[in-house]
C-alpha cells in the first residue's frame, strides 16, 4: 500500500504542471464571472431591444451652449476647455419621429445632448474648428444619402448610434478567451494525470516482468 501511494506521488515538474493547470482553470472561471457581471451583461442589456435601421439626415446645427472637456498636456498637466454642441437630427426607417444621432453608446452616455465630442484640445478655437469640420461633413458629404444607424427602443427611443461600442466581435472575444484559458488549464491537468497514470502502470508491468 505504501509503495502504491509512493508511486503516485508527483515529481516537482509534474507538481508545477498541475499548479499551472489549476491556476489557468481558476483564471478562466474568474474572468468569465467578472466579465459576465461587470461588462458582458450590461453590453447585452444595451443590445437588447435594439437593431439597425436606415437613417437620413434632416438637420445639422450648432447650439449656442458649450460644454467642458478635459485635456492632457503631460503627466502632471491637465486642464479644462470648451467645445460647441453639434446636433445631427435624422429620420429612421423604423419611426417617422426625428432622432438625435450619436457616435456610439459611450458618447451618448458622456453627453446625451450632442452628436459629437471632439478630441479635447487646450485651445477652445481648435475645438470649435473640429466641430465645424464635422458639421460640414454631415451637411456636404453625407447630405441626404441614407446610412446605417443603430437604435435601442427600450433604453433610448429618441436617440440612434452611428456605430455600436459592443459589437458581435467584441462580445465573442469577451467570452472566447476566458473559455480558452479554462480549457487549456483542464487539458494540462488531464494530460498530467494521464501521463502519471501511464508511467505508474508501465513501472508496475516492468516490475512484474522482473519477478
Amino acid at each position: 500500500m505504501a509503495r502504491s501511494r509512493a508511486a503516485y506521488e508527483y515529481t516537482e515538474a509534474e507538481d508545477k504542471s498541475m499548479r499551472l493547470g489549476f491556476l489557468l482553470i481558476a483564471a478562466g472561471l474568474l474572468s468569465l464571472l467578472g466579465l459576465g457581471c461587470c461588462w458582458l451583461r450590461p453590453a447585452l442589456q444595451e443590445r437588447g431591444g435594439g437593431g439597425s435601421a436606415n437613417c437620413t439626415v434632416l438637420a445639422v446645427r450648432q447650439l449656442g451652449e458649450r460644454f467642458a472637456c478635459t485635456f492632457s498636456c503631460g503627466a502632471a498637466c491637465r486642464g479644462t476647455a470648451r467645445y460647441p454642441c453639434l446636433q445631427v437630427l435624422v429620420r429612421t426607417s423604423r419611426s417617422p419621429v426625428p432622432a438625435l444621432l450619436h457616435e456610439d453608446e459611450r458618447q451618448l452616455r458622456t453627453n446625451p445632448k450632442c452628436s459629437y465630442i471632439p478630441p479635447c484640445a487646450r485651445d477652445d478655437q481648435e475645438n470649435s474648428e473640429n466641430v465645424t469640420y464635422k458639421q460640414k461633413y454631415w451637411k456636404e458629404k453625407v447630405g441626404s444619402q441614407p446610412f446605417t444607424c443603430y437604435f435601442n427602443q427600450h433604453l433610448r427611443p429618441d436617440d440612434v448610434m452611428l456605430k455600436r461600442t459592443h459589437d458581435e466581435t467584441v462580445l465573442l472575444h469577451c467570452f472566447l478567451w476566458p473559455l480558452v484559458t479554462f480549457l487549456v488549464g483542464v487539458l494540462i491537468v488531464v494530460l498530467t494525470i494521464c501521463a502519471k497514470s501511464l508511467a505508474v502502470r508501465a513501472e508496475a508491468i516492468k516490475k512484474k516482468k522482473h519477478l
Side-chain angles (χ1 to χ4, degrees):
M1 187 72 177
R3 288 181 180 178
S4 176
R5 185 177 301 171
Y8 273 93
E9 289 182 356
Y10 292 102
T11 63
E12 184 178 354
E14 291 168 340
D15 186 57
K16 288 182 179 179
S17 179
M18 292 286 287
R19 289 182 182 180
L20 175 61
F22 285 122
L23 179 63
L24 291 175
I25 291 173
L29 289 175
L30 290 175
S31 298
L32 283 173
L33 290 174
L35 291 172
C37 294
C38 301
W39 195 89
L40 185 58
R41 186 174 62 181
L44 290 175
Q45 287 176 347
E46 281 187 0
R47 292 172 58 82
S52 61
N54 288 327
C55 282
T56 306
V57 176
L58 291 177
V60 183
R61 64 193 183 191
Q62 282 193 34
L63 302 182
E65 188 176 0
R66 287 177 171 263
F67 291 87
C69 63
T70 302
F71 64 85
S72 176
C73 49
C77 176
R78 283 181 171 272
T80 302
R82 305 188 76 81
Y83 65 92
C85 181
L86 175 67
Q87 287 189 338
V88 180
L89 298 176
V90 299
R91 178 188 290 116
T92 70
S93 57
R94 297 295 185 97
S95 172
V97 180
L100 182 60
L101 181 68
H102 299 272
E103 292 282 322
D104 51 28
E105 289 96 341
R106 187 178 293 111
Q107 184 268 314
L108 171 60
R109 289 193 298 267
T110 303
N111 190 341
K113 196 171 184 178
C114 304
S115 297
Y116 174 67
I117 299 177
C120 193
R122 177 184 294 188
D123 186 11
D124 290 358
Q125 181 62 31
E126 185 177 345
N127 291 327
S128 297
E129 290 174 357
N130 287 334
V131 172
T132 301
Y133 174 81
K134 203 71 174 179
Q135 183 179 8
K136 289 182 178 178
Y137 168 80
W138 284 107
K139 276 187 174 180
E140 298 173 5
K141 292 190 176 181
V142 178
S144 59
Q145 297 179 12
F147 59 93
T148 302
C149 60
Y150 303 92
F151 63 92
N152 193 314
Q153 292 178 339
H154 298 324
L155 295 179
R156 305 286 302 194
D158 299 326
D159 298 275
V160 293
M161 273 70 66
L162 186 61
K163 59 184 177 181
R164 283 182 176 142
T165 304
H166 307 110
D167 59 12
E168 288 82 358
T169 304
V170 175
L171 296 178
L172 175 63
H173 284 285
C174 178
F175 175 76
L176 177 63
W177 296 115
L179 181 61
V180 169
T181 302
F182 173 79
L183 293 177
V184 169
V186 171
L187 183 63
I188 289 174
V189 172
V190 170
L191 289 177
T192 303
I193 293 174
C194 290
K196 185 64 177 179
S197 178
L198 290 174
V200 169
R201 290 183 181 181
E203 185 67 23
I205 293 173
K206 185 178 179 181
K207 288 181 178 179
K208 285 182 180 180
K209 289 182 178 180
H210 284 80
L211 291 177

